[in-house]
Amino acid sequence: MLTILSSFWPFYQFLWTVYFVTMFLIGFWCIFMFFGFIIPLWLTSGLMEYFGKTKPFDPEEVRRKTLPEQGAEIIYSNPKGNGPFLHTDHGHH
């Protein structure tokens, strides 16, 4: 049994190397993001918000506005005419 598993050793070694390099890069990315982005964010915007130096958060500012709120005219909300899909006369087409 040992000889069968050992014949696949180079492939397992390759898979482990790929896994190790991938995890190594992901780990360094997490470290750099934490110290290069998250901590400075806490020390600037986070503390300013905590001490009330910024205006209160308004969820309406980040809400996605509907098309009529953006100023678009929705022509299919009030259709006019006798198109085939309006079914205003309830007859056959």
Side-chain angles (χ1 to χ4, degrees):
M1 185 67 177
L2 185 60
T3 56
I4 296 173
L5 288 178
S6 63
S7 64
F8 290 106
W9 167 248
F11 182 65
Y12 286 138
Q13 189 178 25
F14 169 74
L15 286 181
W16 171 252
T17 305
V18 169
Y19 173 79
F20 178 80
V21 170
T22 304
M23 290 298 120
F24 191 78
L25 293 175
I26 291 174
F28 266 103
W29 183 86
C30 290
I31 290 170
F32 286 138
M33 283 298 287
F34 190 73
F35 287 102
F37 181 73
I38 301 298
I39 290 179
L41 193 67
W42 285 341
L43 294 177
T44 54
S45 303
L47 288 177
M48 286 171 52
E49 182 181 349
Y50 179 77
F51 288 113
K53 303 294 184 187
T54 59
K55 61 185 178 68
F57 175 70
D58 182 18
E60 285 293 318
E61 288 184 5
V62 296
R63 181 179 65 85
R64 183 182 301 233
K65 291 182 170 45
T66 62
L67 284 174
E69 290 173 344
Q70 294 178 24
E73 179 186 359
I74 312 300
I75 59 174
Y76 54 83
S77 63
N78 188 14
K80 299 174 178 63
N82 295 322
F85 302 110
L86 294 180
H87 300 289
T88 54
D89 54 357
H90 297 291
H92 59 272
H93 299 291

